[in-house]
Amino acid sequence: MKLMPESEDLQDYLKESKVVNYSHPLIKEVAKKLFNNEQTDIEKVKVAFQFVRDEVSHSWDIQGTRVTCTADDVLKHKEGICYAKSNLLAAFLRGEGVPTGFCYQRLMIFDTPDKGYSLHTLNGVFLNSLNRWVRIDARGNKLGVQAEFSLDEEKLAFSVQEDFDEKDYPTIYTQPNDKTIATLQANTNAIVMYKHHLPEYL
């Protein structure tokens, strides 16, 4: 699939926002431990990706009820669903000058269509050293889910099953989808939200 940036201006993928708040002291504190001036952009992306994937739990996997949204809140509590984790990864990388956007898939929430669908969020990053975009998915690995940092072929958390009406959206957006952020802000129990209140379409 050919990735399509929403904007041709890479500066649009470096902007700070209320949810991608990379100037927050906690973000900056952890960034100092993750990054150094000797790292290439590829190394920075890999380090940030692995940290968010492995050190921040996916709420459903741990059956955690806390709902996190802003990057600093995700980092503080070390948990969140994919919408939240993608905000943190974007914050880390934008803070290091790596253009980072938001990508989406429409997936079955569980294992069959009758149980419903939801949007899934991952990130697109622009690697200046390679002059191209790549997608990475820091959702968090578990049995049956094995996302990796890969430049040769995508190794995402989920492969889209078009026969089941799942969909891969090619656009790399400059900001998180409004529906996903509104969902995080409107809910107080992550388990209930995950089961019943995730948006299905962009």
Side-chain angles (χ1 to χ4, degrees):
M1 184 181 71
K2 183 179 180 181
L3 300 178
M4 299 167 48
E6 179 185 24
S7 172
E8 294 299 323
D9 186 353
L10 290 176
Q11 291 300 313
D12 289 338
Y13 293 93
L14 294 171
K15 292 178 179 177
E16 189 165 20
S17 68
K18 289 182 179 179
V19 295
V20 184
N21 54 341
Y22 54 75
S23 293
H24 190 281
L26 182 58
I27 302 290
K28 294 172 76 171
E29 177 187 340
V30 175
K32 285 182 181 178
K33 300 174 183 176
L34 294 177
F35 308 117
N36 63 69
N37 293 332
E38 303 302 315
Q39 291 168 322
T40 64
D41 59 346
I42 293 174
E43 290 169 334
K44 287 184 175 183
V45 171
K46 185 175 182 179
V47 164
F49 162 75
Q50 291 179 336
F51 178 87
V52 177
R53 183 193 65 184
D54 300 339
E55 301 299 324
V56 180
S57 299
H58 190 285
S59 303
W60 181 259
D61 295 350
I62 62 170
Q63 291 293 285
T65 58
R66 184 189 302 275
V67 178
T68 57
C69 180
T70 61
D72 67 290
D73 205 37
V74 180
L75 183 56
K76 176 183 177 182
H77 297 291
K78 295 287 185 73
E79 63 182 280
I81 69 166
C82 59
Y83 305 166
K85 294 186 70 170
S86 63
N87 291 339
L88 177 58
L89 184 53
F92 276 138
L93 293 176
R94 288 187 181 192
E96 290 297 304
V98 178
T100 304
F102 298 84
C103 303
Y104 296 91
Q105 295 172 328
R106 178 184 187 260
L107 304 171
M108 293 182 288
I109 295 179
F110 298 110
D111 54 349
T112 56
D114 60 285
K115 295 177 182 175
Y117 293 80
S118 71
L119 285 179
H120 172 61
T121 308
L122 51 154
N123 295 98
V125 296
F126 185 80
L127 297 169
N128 280 300
S129 58
L130 300 179
N131 193 36
R132 66 182 173 95
W133 290 93
V134 298
R135 291 194 303 178
I136 50 177
D137 191 343
R139 177 227 177 268
N141 290 342
K142 62 176 183 176
L143 185 64
V145 175
Q146 190 69 34
E148 302 291 346
F149 177 75
S150 175
L151 299 177
D152 300 322
E153 61 176 319
E154 287 188 332
K155 296 183 179 180
L156 306 177
F158 304 105
S159 56
V160 168
Q161 303 176 81
E162 293 182 354
D163 291 347
F164 290 97
D165 203 25
E166 294 186 334
K167 181 177 176 62
D168 221 344
Y169 296 96
T171 303
I172 305 169
Y173 294 93
T174 60
Q175 297 297 329
N177 180 268
D178 289 342
K179 292 180 184 177
T180 63
I181 301 304
T183 297
L184 296 177
Q185 294 173 339
N187 285 273
T188 56
N189 183 303
I191 300 301
V192 175
M193 175 182 70
Y194 194 84
K195 285 182 176 179
H196 304 293
H197 301 300
L198 300 183
E200 188 175 329
Y201 294 101
L202 286 179

